[in-house]
Amino acid sequence: MYYIGIDVGGTNIKAGLVDEEGTVLCRAQTPTLAQRPGEEIGADIGRLAKAVAEDSGVPHSEIHSVGIGMPGACSDETGCVLYTANINFSRFPLREAVQKEIRLPVHLGNDANCAALGEYYMLPEKTENLVFITLGTGVGGGLIIGGKLYTGFNGIAGEVGHIMLRHGGEACGCGRRGCWEAYASVTALIRQTRAFAEAHPESAVAKSCGENFEHLSGKTAFALARQGDTDAAKIVETWIGYVADGIVDMINIFQPRLLLIGGAISREGDMLLQPLRQIVEAEMYKSRVPQTEIRIAALGNDAGLIGAAFLGKQS
Amino acid sequence: MYYIGIDVGGTNIKAGLVDEEGTVLCRAQTPTLAQRPGEEIGADIGRLAKAVAEDSGVPHSEIHSVGIGMPGACSDETGCVLYTANINFSRFPLREAVQKEIRLPVHLGNDANCAALGEYYMLPEKTENLVFITLGTGVGGGLIIGGKLYTGFNGIAGEVGHIMLRHGGEACGCGRRGCWEAYASVTALIRQTRAFAEAHPESAVAKSCGENFEHLSGKTAFALARQGDTDAAKIVETWIGYVADGIVDMINIFQPRLLLIGGAISREGDMLLQPLRQIVEAEMYKSRVPQTEIRIAALGNDAGLIGAAFLGKQS
């Protein structure tokens, strides 16, 4: 069978037809135009699904389902989007809107959850349990337990970015203080880099950011640290410490066989992974049992699309 | 069928024969004498199991299995105790030792996990997911996911007491700093009460503790607060805040239908529960979806015994 995956972002909606092995055979995309009425976005999602189905030449009878990954919370039970951060989709019956355009089963999931599912199905080895963390604008996650995506009784489980690491610490977008996300997201790394640059305007870090911080990104400190700048190395080290704090929590709670780290920053590879593993090893709950393996996620940008497609495999 | 449950504590080993409804029909117990060789303790566990089986008059063919709850980590796969805090049982083949005394399948589990399982099977309603937290010497927990006890790939998942709430905070027995357990256990409440008493020797709290703190317990502050003492009320409020911090984390991660709070301190009932619910409601990840219900666990001291007995139902 074949599966259609849709990855809905704040900027673009991406669609792909995926085979059983997770190969994306055919792609299409359209701008989200996030402030449009939900009906219009829903119709575009449906039309994109139809387009990849038709362009692929795969017979309709061999397409199993459409899966949609959303930046927000969905109920796959009711087929409704519950809320999204930046798209006009609160309490919206998305399944119904999509099925006006294409007659196939439609499944909905959170985007980080879909990425977790994509990584899970594409693993080279077999495992029952997996924790997936994505470091980006926020800190998101997806939990695979017993081979299934775990979403809690209300569909919104896995908000791992909103565990508290520092009582009374930085304000988080969720309303709480001291959340993991407020320290370990790429947004937080950028803020931390900028704060250093502002305090040390003559530093290489500051110069690297540009006069109006126009060159500042999550890569700034990593790139300079690679060149041997000790200030940048310290910024990176501190940030990796924040990432590690939450990962130790995840391991103490879940003891998964595998913990995968995704998001664009994970391309920093061993420069992120090696110090992270050292801290986790020192801080995790000790016992003489096999330990979680921490790896960089494998699929990059396609994880969400492939995982969305495979939502249909879960039901 | 009937099930034998064994609850191994640092002081006593308790055994009971349990029917399908979770009624304990027959009981026995013996001192643990924790420093003895593991072989002797294992043999005593086996003999206790045999004793309740024989005393109950239930035919051997109607007894399904023996389940043993341990304060530590076990592998039900290998039948070995991996480690325990206070009992001489590291890397000990407990199943083998017990089966020398009684010919039945033997299952092993962590004591907090067993308590979670006991509470789960005895719920008046049906639910797939449950988080159980026990507040005592430490903070323990058990996770029921999809109707099954979740123990991770290595058997030691659910160490929820060792999530970090305050980076760089109080030292925890696990080696980390700022763990939930270091703030929200009854041990921590006692330490917090004592610190107040030492700083305010003329206070009602100090008087209530006794000259050498011989009357100090987890109940001290709760009892005085009930009588209207504002210092004690403040101690209780602060401690409940610590409990709430970790519970918000649990909900943000798991979104279980039910979160149960056990341990002797849970007998404080609404005085614990009402402020706790208020904080959780204010702090949890917001969305317009159904919310986790927080309740006091129902079974009290028997949860571990009944849950251990029902380990056999899980396999």
Side-chain angles (χ1 to χ4, degrees):
Chain A
M1 294 296 281
Y2 297 85
Y3 305 81
I4 295 171
I6 315 267
D7 184 5
V8 181
T11 310
N12 287 301
I13 305 168
K14 295 174 186 175
L17 186 93
V18 176
D19 67 14
E20 290 282 358
E21 280 69 46
T23 310
V24 184
L25 300 175
C26 185
R27 294 176 190 260
Q29 75 173 58
T30 191
T32 309
L33 308 173
Q35 296 317 309
R36 291 185 288 169
E39 286 75 11
E40 289 183 24
I41 302 175
D44 265 4
I45 292 174
R47 282 191 285 265
L48 268 190
K50 206 169 166 181
V52 292
E54 286 173 1
D55 291 355
S56 69
V58 167
H60 191 272
S61 61
E62 289 182 30
I63 301 179
H64 181 276
S65 51
V66 179
I68 305 171
M70 293 291 309
C74 308
S75 167
D76 194 35
E77 210 174 319
T78 64
C80 287
V81 179
L82 301 169
Y83 65 86
T84 53
N86 303 310
I87 305 173
N88 196 2
F89 251 168
S90 275
R91 301 247 162 197
F92 182 74
L94 181 58
R95 176 184 292 146
E96 195 183 306
V98 172
Q99 285 180 331
K100 279 182 190 158
E101 304 293 329
I102 186 165
R103 283 167 53 205
L104 279 173
V106 170
H107 298 284
L108 308 182
N110 165 272
D111 53 1
N113 283 351
C114 288
L117 199 60
E119 296 288 347
Y120 175 72
Y121 276 117
M122 302 296 283
L123 281 177
E125 70 266 60
K126 187 119 184 82
T127 177
E128 283 286 286
N129 306 320
L130 170 74
V131 172
F132 170 80
I133 305 293
T134 173
L135 305 172
T137 311
V139 173
L143 312 168
I144 308 289
I145 296 180
K148 290 264 178 194
L149 190 58
Y150 177 78
T151 59
F153 91 109
N154 56 13
I156 67 161
E159 284 295 348
V160 299
H162 303 286
I163 56 172
M164 179 194 287
L165 294 179
R166 287 164 191 247
H167 185 94
E170 297 272 354
C172 182
C174 77
R176 221 178 171 199
R177 285 194 166 272
C179 287
W180 192 17
E181 172 164 310
Y183 290 85
S185 61
V186 175
T187 311
L189 171 59
I190 291 171
R191 197 181 61 239
Q192 292 150 18
T193 309
R194 180 171 175 147
F196 182 88
E198 287 176 336
H200 303 87
E202 296 309 310
S203 64
V205 172
K207 282 168 191 156
S208 209
C209 289
E211 211 162 317
N212 299 301
F213 300 102
E214 68 276 15
H215 302 310
L216 171 59
S217 77
K219 293 180 200 163
T220 306
F222 273 97
L224 269 180
R226 259 182 229 280
Q227 292 163 30
D229 184 79
T230 52
D231 294 332
K234 183 73 197 151
I235 293 168
V236 166
E237 183 192 332
T238 303
W239 180 75
I240 292 174
Y242 297 136
V243 174
D245 282 345
I247 285 178
V248 173
D249 283 4
M250 290 300 109
I251 292 175
N252 286 351
I253 294 170
F254 287 105
Q255 299 287 346
R257 233 267 307 119
L258 261 180
L259 187 145
L260 297 180
I261 299 176
I265 198 92
S266 68
R267 291 190 204 119
E268 301 293 344
D270 278 350
M271 196 168 164
L272 167 60
L273 213 49
Q274 285 187 356
L276 186 67
R277 284 183 177 142
Q278 275 179 24
I279 305 172
V280 170
E281 171 66 29
E283 292 267 313
M284 64 182 282
Y285 193 79
K286 297 293 182 310
S287 57
R288 291 175 294 173
V289 294
Q291 289 180 12
T292 299
E293 183 187 349
I294 303 175
R295 291 211 302 245
I296 299 295
L299 302 186
N301 282 339
D302 274 345
L305 182 74
I306 296 169
F310 286 168
L311 280 172
K313 282 199 180 195
Q314 289 266 301
S315 55
Chain B
M1 295 296 281
Y2 298 85
Y3 304 82
I4 295 172
I6 315 266
D7 184 5
V8 181
T11 311
N12 287 301
I13 305 168
K14 295 175 186 174
L17 185 93
V18 177
D19 67 14
E20 290 281 358
E21 281 69 46
T23 310
V24 184
L25 300 174
C26 185
R27 294 176 190 261
Q29 74 173 58
T30 191
T32 309
L33 308 173
Q35 297 317 309
R36 291 186 287 169
E39 286 73 13
E40 289 183 24
I41 303 176
D44 265 5
I45 292 173
R47 283 191 284 266
L48 268 189
K50 206 169 166 181
V52 292
E54 285 173 1
D55 291 355
S56 69
V58 168
H60 191 271
S61 61
E62 289 182 30
I63 302 179
H64 181 277
S65 52
V66 179
I68 305 171
M70 292 292 308
C74 307
S75 166
D76 193 34
E77 209 174 319
T78 63
C80 286
V81 178
L82 300 171
Y83 65 87
T84 53
N86 304 309
I87 306 173
N88 197 1
F89 251 170
S90 276
R91 301 248 161 193
F92 182 74
L94 181 58
R95 177 184 292 145
E96 193 184 308
V98 172
Q99 285 179 333
K100 280 183 190 156
E101 302 294 330
I102 186 165
R103 282 168 52 205
L104 279 173
V106 170
H107 298 283
L108 308 182
N110 165 272
D111 54 1
N113 282 350
C114 287
L117 200 60
E119 296 287 346
Y120 175 72
Y121 277 116
M122 301 298 281
L123 281 178
E125 70 266 60
K126 185 117 185 84
T127 179
E128 283 286 286
N129 307 319
L130 169 76
V131 171
F132 171 80
I133 305 293
T134 174
L135 305 171
T137 311
V139 173
L143 310 169
I144 308 289
I145 296 181
K148 290 264 177 194
L149 191 58
Y150 177 78
T151 58
F153 92 109
N154 54 16
I156 67 161
E159 283 294 348
V160 300
H162 303 286
I163 55 171
M164 179 194 287
L165 295 178
R166 288 163 190 248
H167 185 94
E170 298 273 356
C172 182
C174 77
R176 218 179 173 197
R177 285 196 166 269
C179 286
W180 191 16
E181 172 164 309
Y183 289 85
S185 61
V186 174
T187 311
L189 171 60
I190 292 169
R191 197 182 60 237
Q192 291 150 20
T193 308
R194 180 171 175 147
F196 182 89
E198 286 177 336
H200 303 88
E202 295 309 311
S203 63
V205 172
K207 281 166 190 156
S208 209
C209 290
E211 211 162 319
N212 298 304
F213 299 101
E214 69 276 16
H215 302 310
L216 172 58
S217 78
K219 293 180 199 163
T220 306
F222 272 97
L224 269 180
R226 261 181 227 281
Q227 292 163 30
D229 184 80
T230 52
D231 294 333
K234 182 71 198 154
I235 294 168
V236 167
E237 184 191 331
T238 303
W239 181 74
I240 292 176
Y242 297 136
V243 175
D245 283 344
I247 285 179
V248 173
D249 282 4
M250 290 298 111
I251 293 176
N252 285 352
I253 294 171
F254 287 105
Q255 299 288 346
R257 235 261 315 118
L258 262 179
L259 187 145
L260 298 180
I261 299 176
I265 197 92
S266 68
R267 291 189 204 118
E268 301 292 345
D270 279 350
M271 196 168 165
L272 166 61
L273 213 49
Q274 285 187 356
L276 185 68
R277 284 181 177 145
Q278 275 178 24
I279 305 172
V280 171
E281 171 65 29
E283 292 267 313
M284 63 183 280
Y285 193 78
K286 297 294 180 312
S287 57
R288 292 174 293 173
V289 293
Q291 289 180 12
T292 299
E293 185 188 348
I294 302 174
R295 291 209 304 244
I296 299 295
L299 303 186
N301 282 341
D302 274 343
L305 183 73
I306 296 170
F310 285 169
L311 280 173
K313 282 201 181 196
Q314 290 266 302
S315 54

